[in-house]
Structure formats: structure tokens, C-alpha cells
Amino acid sequence: MEKGEWIFCSVCGNKTKEINNMNDNKSQIKIYLIFILDICWALGIAAFCLQGNSQNTIYQILQKGFTAFPVIAAVFTRHITGDKSEWRISFRVWKNKKLWAFCAFAPSILSVMGTMLYFVLFPEQYSGVFNLGSLTGTEQVIHIANPLQFCIICILVAAVCIPIQVLELGEEIGWREYLLPKQIAEYGVRKGTLMNGLYWGIAHLPLIYLGFNYSSENAGAPWSNMLMMMLVCVTMGMICSYVMVCSNNVMYPAIIHGVVNVIGEIPVFLSVSGKNGLLGPNPTGLISMSGLILCAIIMLIKLPTAKTARECKDGKNNY
């Protein structure tokens, strides 16, 4: 073979390999999404049909299994497609202390600030007590003499609530560890990130339609609740995707996910109504998550730089 022919064949081979990799990404994305969305929506439809049953087992399976379905979908897709890529997970989060501190504290601080803004705008909704009875099934309440001290305690509790953070690995392994890199490779870092959050939100919609997370008394419910949840997922998806791109370790977005879930359950127990609306007080409402939205927008803008910086540091392109 002539030297020129070898170069030509080598180039053709590289192009063919690149095309095959692109097709692999597309097929893996499709298989994962079909698997996870089919499960969530099939269970959601079945639960809707059984709403008259007070012991709706299907809804309980959907709600309690929602964290596990994404990692099951990732394992299934890896097996079906023969994907042998390494799992991007390490529990040694202390190796990057600054990133851990951001993940453990920044989301809860932003959530607390959003909730404070909500209660400033709607002071009649602030009860001044933490309704512990709603959690324990009693009439017990904790009077909040020092709101700042209460906020600091909540932030610290959320930061060290490791079991919840580990639990959220189920969702994060599926959406950020497995799916996100393939979407970034296929669509680019910004578009891939936005699509990741969008599909994550679509997977949530059956639960939200059935009354999860939001009050059924909200104006336009359940459709308004579903729309708001889409915004929540896109917002949190940007933040979780950013730290995933920076670290190449899914444990960091799992920490963010766990922190927001812990801190996000507290504000509604401080409100007079005890119900989560479209504006707040939980950080799934527009006002209460305003800080998170701003953070997400900044991160979306910085994403390409973050990806390039990490690739240069690693000396390779993992995405």
C-alpha cells in the first residue's frame, strides 16, 4: 500500500469510527430515555386509573422507586449496548474541598435566601413556628425565637445529611453520570445540559400530575404544577450538570441533589397554610428558587469553559 493510500484509509477509518461513536451515543440515549420514561409514565397512568383505591400500590412503587429507576435504566442500557465505559463515581469528595463546600452549602444558602424573600413578600404566610407535628403525626411545634440561628442549623443539617445524598445517587447516576456525557458528546455542552434537565423534568411529570410536591389547590393545577416542576428540573439540571462536568464525579451532583431535597422540605412547615404553592415557600416555587435560577444561568454560561478546563487538567476528553 502506498503511503498516500495508508493516510487516506487511516482518515477514512477515523471518520468511520467517529460516525459509529455518534450512532452509539444516539442509540444509547434513545434506549435510556425510552426505558426510564416508559417506566415512569406507565406507572403514572396505571396509578391514575387506580386513584379510587386508597391503597394505591402502583403510586407507591412510582414514588419510592423513582430514585432507583434511573440507575436501573443506566445498567440496562449499558448491558444492551455493550457499553464498557468506566463509571464516573468516587466517594472521595474531600479531594476537592472547594467543590465539596460549594455543593454542600451553596444550594441550601440560595434556597434559604429564596424562602426568606418569599416570606418577606408574603409575611402573612410566615407562622413563626416549625410544625414538627406534620412530620411526626403529633401536635408538636418548635417556636422559632431566632430565625437566623434556625436557618444556620438547617443549612448545616442539610450539608451533613449524607444518607440522603447517597440515596440521590440513584437518580444522579442515571441522569448525570450516564446520560449527560452522551448528550454533551452528541449535542454540545450547553444544549446537552438543557436537554438533560428537560427530559429529567418529563420523567417527573406523572408524579406531579398525581399530586406530588405541590398543592392540588394551586391555580391551574395540576398543569401549572407540572410546568413549574419542569423549570425546577431544568434549573437543578444545569447546576448538577455543571459540577458533573467540572469534577467527572457523580457524587458531587448527588450532594447538591440531597442538600436541596433536605432543605427544600423545611419551608412548608414554617408556613401558615402548610401547602407548597407555585411561588413558594419551598424552593420548587418561582420566588423561593430565584437564587437557584440565577446560579443555574451563570453556570450555563460558564459550562464550555468549565468543560475545557477539566479536559486540559485530565489531559483527555472524557465527554
Side-chain angles (χ1 to χ4, degrees):
M1 180 181 291
E2 297 290 334
K3 183 177 180 181
E5 291 177 327
W6 183 87
I7 294 173
F8 178 78
C9 291
S10 175
V11 172
C12 287
N14 288 337
K15 286 185 177 179
T16 301
K17 183 178 180 181
E18 184 178 341
I19 292 171
N20 288 336
N21 286 340
M22 186 180 297
N23 289 335
D24 286 342
N25 279 329
K26 285 184 177 178
S27 62
Q28 289 160 353
I29 291 170
K30 287 180 181 177
I31 290 171
Y32 174 88
L33 289 175
I34 289 172
F35 186 91
I36 187 69
L37 295 181
D38 278 1
I39 288 179
C40 293
W41 280 80
L43 288 173
I45 292 171
F48 172 77
C49 294
L50 296 173
Q51 272 187 334
N53 186 350
S54 60
Q55 302 296 324
N56 193 332
T57 305
I58 302 297
Y59 175 79
Q60 295 300 320
I61 292 174
L62 175 60
Q63 181 183 354
K64 291 180 170 56
F66 193 81
T67 301
F69 296 150
V71 68
I72 294 172
V75 172
F76 174 81
T77 307
R78 280 177 175 269
H79 177 73
I80 291 296
T81 61
D83 186 351
K84 302 298 182 181
S85 59
E86 64 181 29
W87 293 91
R88 301 172 180 86
I89 179 172
S90 171
F91 290 98
R92 293 180 293 179
V93 293
W94 58 84
K95 293 183 69 176
N96 191 333
K97 295 180 177 61
K98 290 183 179 180
L99 186 58
W100 172 83
F102 172 84
C103 295
F105 292 103
S108 55
I109 291 173
L110 291 173
S111 297
V112 167
M113 291 173 64
T115 296
M116 291 172 63
L117 176 61
Y118 174 84
F119 283 132
V120 167
L121 295 176
F122 302 98
E124 72 281 359
Q125 277 295 313
Y126 180 63
S127 66
V129 298
F130 179 62
N131 190 357
L132 188 62
S134 298
L135 296 174
T136 61
T138 65
E139 296 182 359
Q140 185 178 3
V141 297
I142 299 175
H143 292 274
I144 303 174
N146 190 328
L148 179 59
Q149 184 181 56
F150 180 79
C151 289
I152 292 174
I153 292 173
C154 291
I155 290 170
L156 292 175
V157 169
V160 299
C161 201
I162 296 174
I164 301 298
Q165 297 168 13
V166 173
L167 178 65
E168 299 307 336
L169 270 174
E171 274 189 80
E172 292 304 319
I173 286 175
W175 292 102
R176 250 65 69 180
E177 191 282 334
Y178 184 74
L179 185 64
L180 177 66
K182 301 184 184 306
Q183 290 177 312
I184 288 178
E186 190 65 30
Y187 306 110
V189 64
R190 283 189 183 136
K191 185 177 179 181
T193 294
L194 289 171
M195 292 180 69
N196 188 269
L198 181 67
Y199 282 114
W200 188 34
I202 292 173
H204 279 80
L205 294 186
L207 269 175
I208 306 304
Y209 180 86
L210 294 169
F212 187 71
N213 261 2
Y214 293 93
S215 171
S216 59
E217 297 178 11
N218 290 339
W223 311 110
S224 56
N225 295 346
M226 294 164 72
L227 182 62
M228 190 59 63
M229 192 63 197
M230 289 295 295
L231 178 60
V232 171
C233 288
V234 171
T235 298
M236 291 306 304
M238 290 185 212
I239 298 174
C240 290
S241 294
Y242 181 87
V243 298
M244 182 65 200
V245 167
C246 286
S247 66
N248 206 33
N249 180 4
V250 71
M251 193 59 218
Y252 290 107
I255 291 172
I256 290 177
H257 196 154
V259 165
V260 171
N261 276 3
V262 171
I263 203 79
E265 293 300 317
I266 296 173
V268 73
F269 299 110
L270 302 174
S271 67
V272 173
S273 66
K275 297 175 182 177
N276 191 31
L278 299 174
L279 299 179
N282 286 7
T284 48
L286 186 60
I287 293 175
S288 296
M289 69 169 165
S290 55
L292 293 171
I293 293 174
L294 179 60
C295 178
I297 293 172
I298 294 172
M299 288 185 162
L300 185 67
I301 294 171
K302 294 179 64 177
L303 257 172
T305 305
K307 179 174 181 286
T308 302
R310 186 187 59 74
E311 287 172 358
C312 291
K313 182 179 178 181
D314 293 350
K316 58 183 179 179
N317 185 350
N318 291 310
Y319 288 10

